[in-house]
Structure formats: structure tokens, C-alpha cells
Amino acid sequence: MLGAIVLGAGLPAQAVTDAVPSVPLAVKVIGTFTGVELRWQPPADADGLTGYLVHRTVNGTETTYPTWGSWTGDEIGWTQSERIAGAAYSVSATSADGEGPVSSPITPVPTTEAIGLTNTVPVEGGNYRTYAGQVAVQGGTQVVPLAADGPTHVIGSEIATSPDGKEIVFAKGQESLWRVRTDVPGATPVQLVSGSTGIYRMAWSPDGTRIVYERLQPDSSSCLDMVAATGGTPVRIGCHLLMPTWLPDSQTIIAKDQFQGLLQRVQARANGAVLSSIAGTEQSAFPTVSPDGRWIGYASGNAAAVIPVGGGTPKLGASEGQALASIAWSPDGTKLLVNRSFAFAGNVLQVLPVDAAGQPGAAANVFQRPSDEHLGTAVWQGPRVAIKPTATVNGPNLSIPFDTAGMATPLAVTCQLDSAPAMACISPYTKTGVPSGTHVFQVKAVEPGGRTTVAVRSLNVDAVAPTVAFTSGAFELTKAASVTLSYGATDSSGIGSYDVRYRSATYLTNFGGYVTAASATKATSITLNVAAGNEYCVSVRARDVFGTVSGWTAERCFSRPMDDRALIASAGWSRGANAVYYLGTVTSSRVSGASLTRTVQAKRLFLVATRCQTCGSLQVYYGGKSVGTVNLNNATTQYQAVIALPTPATFLSGTVQLTVRSPYMSHQIDGLAVRRT
């Protein structure tokens, strides 16, 4: 005990603590969406250090992490794949004498953008592993893994981002396909495809519904497969195609042809047809379509190239270093992010501005790894405006939903259709009376700090009404108590429903108003009950799946005869009944001069009568004037025969008279049909 006192007696009180290291210098704390990066410089008295302690404080609870960190440039770096809102970080150095003072706590500011990529690093035994991570756009110098472990480790070098910037899709061991949120710390990856081989480069459709990916084949060729973004059974689009990307319509893929080397437009469906080639792209690799749908960026040897989506003359950036390993557009479509290899210097991520004419500018380095590491695909991450799924064909009244969730507010959002001026808008964007054809819809969102994202969608609009017609029911009259009429329509977008209407008139009155027989029906036929002595005119119209309505068809008109009992009989006629006759009744005569009359309004008339070997003839009078004869004689007996009477010279509004001409011969009258049309 005394020795202890003697040993300390001649020392100043502070000397006991002077042996611990001083505070680390130039501490920086920045965040990605899912993790945190710390950097610092050693304390001035760095000799004898035994390490560092990273302090994380959350709601008053402190957790410490012993580390030596890793050298990144002239700084020491440390990352954590766990970002907790409100957490503050500080660093202290340690020596054999204890822990030195702790740096001032720093809380990383919220981030709106990061670079997502894959990083291949050496591990024990001379092996390498690849993991998915993020680099902070605000001066990040380290790849922060998306997770400490799990499916995002030991993956392929290729990833693709979702259209809303919140997820990536990746392959694990080329045998399974996964998606994972990149804006949520600790998100659980979701497996989409398993039990496959050769899964390689991927591209997420602009509407977010499908993922196309390259599959290496045993003969070294490549095929393109496509799967729903929620998983399921993939379909084969085609083979000898590489490096897929999507056009804004979400129906067409751009891919490189293995034989010609040209970029091809390919239908995004099973056994999709190659639609056309894009001239001038023979030396292309890693194509990517700009967010505004105007340009295709690609690697041409050691240079970044940009060509119009419709083809043309490519514009090249500067050629430097070695060949590019990936290329991606910024969310606003004004910059290219490229992964370039440099001899003995590892990978460097560069940003190239692209002007309004599509010319890439001078590259600026934004991130670099040492030569023993390798960066794979690099893409921008962060919430961005995204247009939700839209129909392949749209009607003239558009309603297009879009999503800006996760972006900083207040947000300035504008929408633009074709060349019309951009206007402030909210979701869904609506527009009526859009003409048929292909249209381009663009939505732009600008955050308070100026960060801009753009989404575009090509839309096919069908504003042409269906073509509709009757397919059966062409007759002058019917003796049945009901009639079935069939109809059909054609339209490029499909038929939604039909409306059927009719109007009717008696033999002595004009047509009344239209009566709705069916409204918004999907049936392609209708059965109408019809009354004896009336005429009916039926018309139909169709609407397509978007509600565009055709005009009414020309009317299909017919009448049902009045019974013989409705005719006024003179002397010499007798009334009878039998099931063989129309409505079960008949009026007969063998007396010359016997007449049947009826006052009508008619354009045409038809007699229902029996024809037989012993049947005679009738004289026909309109308004008391003879207009011709009707011969009922026939080799065989025909009950309920329909016989056209002479056509009136003008519209008849008066009497019809049928007079027996052949005495002693049979005249069996069953009914009279009157047509006003």
C-alpha cells in the first residue's frame, strides 16, 4: 500500500490519464438508406494504440463496437449495416492504458439518394465473395453492405433497380433470383425464382410488374427469361439475346443480338418477336434507356455512348482507362453513372453529364476501390417518382396513377402529355378526349433541395368506337310470338357491352318512342316478345372496354301479322279454327265478290293465307282502287304461306280490300302483315 503511495507521490494529478490516447480527428458520419459509414483520422498521439471504440447512442442507450477499422485513403473507415433513426455516433481511441476521450456525437442526416452496387472482396484462402451494398452519394468512400449477412452476400456481380428506386433484384449463385428493399434497414429478401442455372443480367420493367433476365446456356449462348416481380414461373422470350433493358411502354425490351451485335427491339412476352434493329449500335454493351425515354446509353468500347431510342448517330464520351463494366442513368435522365476499370487502380465510378442533345460530357470520379476489390453493376438508389402499371391499350379518358412516396416534401410535381406544356398535377393524372394513337406521358418530381426524378410511359390510346352489326334476324315478318336477334362488334381494345333498343307501331298508328330492351349487356343476342299486328324496329350499339360508344346500327325492322279476325268480312265469308292456321283461326270463302277489308297505314303489306291446288285468286284494292291480284293456287298445300301484296305507289293511309275473283274455289285467309318501313 505504501509503495503505491510513493510511486504516485511525485506525479501531477493529470499525469495518470495522459497515457491514454487523445480524441480521433476529423470524424465524419454519413448514412446510406440501410447503414452508416464512419471515417476518422488517428489521434495526434497514435503510438501504442490498441484500437478504437465506435459509440452508438439511441434514446440514451449506448452501444460500443471495438474495431481497428480499415484504411480508406488517408482515413480509417468503419461501416454498420444497421441504420437506426436518431442514432448518434462518436469514436474514441484505446491503448494499454485505457480509452481516450470520445469525439462529439454526430447524427447522420437523412439521405435521399445512394449508389447501389455489388462489391467483390478477397476473403481467407485466396477466395473472393460478392455482396450487395450502398455508397453514400454525399462523399461516401466505403461500400456499406445492405445486411450483415444473409442472401445479399455471395451473389452475382449484376443487379437492377426497381422503377421506384426502392429495391434491387439480384441473383444468388446464378441459381436463384431475389428482390430486396434498399430503403429499409434490415429488409428481408424475397426469392422470386429458384432451381435455375445461369441467371445473369437483369432489368426491371418500368411499370414494376416484371423482371427480365439473361440466362447463360450450356453452349455459351444466352436466352432471355421473364418472371413476374412477385415471383412465379418464368417464360422464355427468346435466345441469342443479351443485356436486356426496357422501353417506357413496358411492353418492349431492348437487347443485344449475339450474332449481329446490334441492339434489337423485342416483344416482352413468351416467344417474343424481334421487331426491329437499332442501326449504329454494333459495338454496344450494357444498354440502358433514359428515364425520359429519349435515349439509350451504352458502353462502346472504353467510352460511354448515347443514341436516340429511335436510332441514329451515336454520340461518344471520352475514351479512357479500360472497358466499362456497367452504365446507368440518373433518375432525372441528365447524367450517366459508369463503372470503369483502370489498370492497377481497381474500379472507379464516374458520373458523366449528358446534355440536351445527348452528348456525354467530361467524367467526374465519385467512388473508387483498391485494385484487390471489384465493383459490379452500379445503379442510383432512392425514392423516385414512378408511374404505376397501365393498360396496354387505353381509352380516350386517361387516368394514370403515379407514386412519389418517400420523396422529400414539399414536392413539386408536373405532368406532361406529348408536347403539351407541363402542368402541376396530382395522382392520378387525368385527361379526357385523348385521340387515338401512341402518346407519351411524363411526370417529373422535384424535391426541395432540387433533386429531380422523371418517369415516362408510352401509351396506346384507342378512341375509335366499335364497329357493330346484326349477325342474324334479317326478315320481313315473323309469325312467332317472340323473336331472337343476334349482333356482334369488333374493336381493337375489346368489347365491353351492348345496348339494345326498339320502337313499335300498330297497323294504324305511327311509331312510339324507343324502349330499352337491354342496357350494358355482354350478351350478343336478345329475345323480344312481339304482338300481332305490330311492327318493330330494333337497333343496337356497342361500347369498348374503355366506354367509347358506337352509334346505333341501322334499324332491323319486322312485323307480326294481325290475325284474320282483325279483317272486316262481308257476306260470303265464314270463320273457322284449326291448329294448322296462324293463331289457330281462318276466314274462308268460295263466293265471288266476297271481300275482306282493313283500314291501315302502310308502305308494304303481306298476306298470310293457304295455298293449294283448289285455291283461287283475290283482287287487291288500296283506297278503293284496284292495284293487282293475288294467286293462291299452288301444286301442294301450304298453310300460313306469306305472300307479298302489290307495293303501294305512295304511303297508304286508307283501306286494304281483298275480293274473291274465283267462284267455287277455296280462299283461306290467315292474317295481314303491315309494314310502315
Side-chain angles (χ1 to χ4, degrees):
M1 187 69 177
L2 179 61
I5 296 173
V6 171
L7 287 173
L11 295 175
Q14 185 64 30
V16 176
T17 61
D18 282 346
V20 299
S22 58
V23 65
L25 303 175
V27 178
K28 304 180 186 71
V29 181
I30 57 177
T32 63
F33 288 106
T34 58
V36 177
E37 172 187 350
L38 274 70
R39 301 198 307 274
W40 63 89
Q41 294 179 356
D45 50 351
D47 293 341
L49 290 185
T50 58
Y52 298 91
L53 287 177
V54 174
H55 298 254
R56 185 185 73 184
T57 304
V58 182
N59 297 325
T61 301
E62 182 178 279
T63 306
T64 57
Y65 302 91
T67 182
W68 269 107
S70 60
W71 282 96
T72 169
D74 60 352
E75 298 174 304
I76 297 170
W78 178 88
T79 65
Q80 185 175 49
S81 299
E82 181 185 21
R83 179 161 184 171
I84 299 176
Y89 295 84
S90 55
V91 184
S92 62
T94 63
S95 68
D97 293 304
E99 179 185 3
V102 179
S103 65
S104 299
I106 302 174
T107 299
V109 299
T111 185
T112 58
E113 199 165 50
I115 295 175
L117 44 66
T118 64
N119 193 25
T120 301
V121 297
V123 294
E124 296 81 0
N127 296 315
Y128 288 82
R129 72 176 177 88
T130 302
Y131 65 90
Q134 291 179 348
V135 175
V137 170
Q138 307 90 343
T141 63
Q142 302 173 75
V143 179
V144 181
L146 289 183
D149 54 23
T152 57
H153 291 251
V154 193
I155 67 173
S157 62
E158 307 290 331
I159 60 173
T161 187
S162 62
D164 61 6
K166 300 175 184 178
E167 295 184 75
I168 61 168
V169 58
F170 63 91
K172 187 172 177 61
Q174 292 192 353
E175 295 180 351
S176 56
L177 192 68
W178 299 70
R179 64 185 284 182
V180 65
R181 290 286 293 267
T182 57
D183 63 339
V184 177
T188 301
V190 177
Q191 186 169 324
L192 306 178
V193 175
S194 63
S196 298
T197 58
I199 298 176
Y200 200 34
R201 302 181 183 95
M202 315 99 191
W204 209 314
S205 67
D207 64 5
T209 62
R210 288 151 295 155
I211 295 167
V212 61
Y213 56 94
E214 186 180 330
R215 281 196 59 192
L216 304 178
Q217 302 299 302
D219 63 357
S220 299
S221 66
S222 288
C223 298
L224 295 185
D225 287 358
M226 184 172 63
V227 68
T230 53
T233 302
V235 297
R236 175 64 48 87
I237 294 175
C239 290
H240 304 293
L241 297 169
L242 308 168
M243 306 175 184
T245 185
W246 291 81
L247 287 179
D249 61 2
S250 289
Q251 304 299 321
T252 311
I253 292 168
I254 300 286
K256 181 173 181 176
D257 182 274
Q258 276 189 290
F259 297 129
Q260 303 178 50
L262 288 167
L263 296 182
Q264 310 275 10
R265 297 180 184 86
V266 184
Q267 292 176 319
R269 65 185 189 189
N271 302 313
V274 174
L275 302 175
S276 61
S277 299
I278 302 177
T281 59
E282 289 84 354
Q283 304 301 318
S284 61
F286 314 118
T288 175
V289 177
S290 63
D292 61 8
R294 297 178 58 205
W295 310 105
I296 301 174
Y298 62 90
S300 179
N302 293 1
V306 175
I307 192 171
V309 165
T313 302
K315 297 185 178 181
L316 300 179
S319 179
E320 55 179 310
Q322 298 179 5
L324 304 183
S326 76
I327 186 166
W329 286 96
S330 63
D332 63 355
T334 63
K335 300 181 288 293
L336 288 172
L337 174 66
V338 301
N339 176 8
R340 186 184 294 279
S341 298
F342 281 91
F344 311 111
N347 291 86
V348 176
L349 297 186
Q350 298 178 322
V351 172
L352 290 73
V354 179
D355 66 20
Q359 177 63 55
N365 294 353
V366 295
F367 185 74
Q368 185 169 0
R369 298 307 294 161
S371 58
D372 63 344
E373 297 186 16
H374 174 76
L375 301 177
T377 305
V379 295
W380 261 283
Q381 296 290 160
R384 64 187 70 170
V385 62
I387 300 171
K388 294 184 178 181
T390 52
T392 304
V393 181
N394 299 266
N397 300 325
L398 296 179
S399 179
I400 307 173
F402 56 86
D403 182 18
T404 58
M407 300 188 70
T409 57
L411 195 64
V413 182
T414 57
C415 294
Q416 183 177 19
L417 187 66
D418 299 327
S419 59
M423 304 290 288
C425 60
I426 60 173
S427 179
Y429 168 83
T430 58
K431 179 73 172 177
T432 60
V434 179
S436 292
T438 300
H439 300 270
V440 177
F441 170 68
Q442 178 176 282
V443 57
K444 178 186 291 187
V446 182
E447 293 176 317
R451 176 177 175 263
T452 301
T453 66
V454 174
V456 68
R457 182 68 47 80
S458 297
L459 304 166
N460 289 322
V461 170
D462 172 22
V464 177
T467 300
V468 60
F470 285 100
T471 57
S472 71
F475 45 83
E476 297 281 3
L477 58 84
T478 178
K479 292 173 284 185
S482 63
V483 168
T484 298
L485 301 175
S486 298
Y487 42 84
T490 58
D491 187 87
S492 60
S493 59
I495 301 302
S497 63
Y498 298 88
D499 298 329
V500 184
R501 67 180 184 180
Y502 70 90
R503 56 180 182 150
S504 63
T506 70
Y507 58 85
L508 200 54
T509 60
N510 206 347
F511 284 103
Y514 284 103
V515 177
T516 299
S519 178
T521 179
K522 294 185 179 298
T524 55
S525 66
I526 191 166
T527 299
L528 300 175
N529 294 326
V530 293
N534 285 8
E535 181 178 6
Y536 296 82
C537 289
V538 185
S539 51
V540 61
R541 67 182 180 183
R543 61 179 54 80
D544 63 19
V545 294
F546 305 116
T548 305
V549 183
S550 71
W552 292 99
T553 62
E555 291 180 314
R556 182 62 57 85
C557 297
F558 57 90
S559 64
R560 189 180 183 204
M562 67 184 81
D563 190 25
D564 58 276
R565 294 296 194 266
L567 302 176
I568 300 172
S570 68
W573 294 91
S574 61
R575 308 287 194 179
N578 194 293
V580 299
Y581 300 113
Y582 172 60
L583 297 180
T585 64
V586 69
T587 299
S588 303
S589 178
R590 292 177 178 269
V591 178
S592 179
S595 298
L596 296 173
T597 58
R598 178 72 270 172
T599 301
V600 298
Q601 293 182 355
K603 185 176 182 180
R604 294 179 293 159
L605 300 102
F606 299 85
L607 181 65
V608 181
T610 302
R611 302 188 70 182
C612 62
Q613 285 184 332
T614 59
C615 292
S617 298
L618 297 169
Q619 189 73 33
V620 181
Y621 298 87
Y622 294 158
K625 181 180 179 180
S626 175
V627 294
T629 60
V630 173
N631 186 6
L632 303 181
N633 189 261
N634 196 61
T636 60
T637 301
Q638 296 178 347
Y639 295 105
Q640 303 185 40
V642 176
I643 305 161
L645 296 181
T647 302
T650 60
F651 188 83
L652 174 61
S653 182
T655 60
V656 176
Q657 179 178 313
L658 304 172
T659 302
V660 175
R661 290 186 56 193
S662 309
Y664 311 115
M665 300 189 76
S666 178
H667 304 82
Q668 296 181 349
I669 307 305
D670 231 350
L672 179 68
V674 174
R675 291 287 303 272
R676 302 181 69 90
T677 59

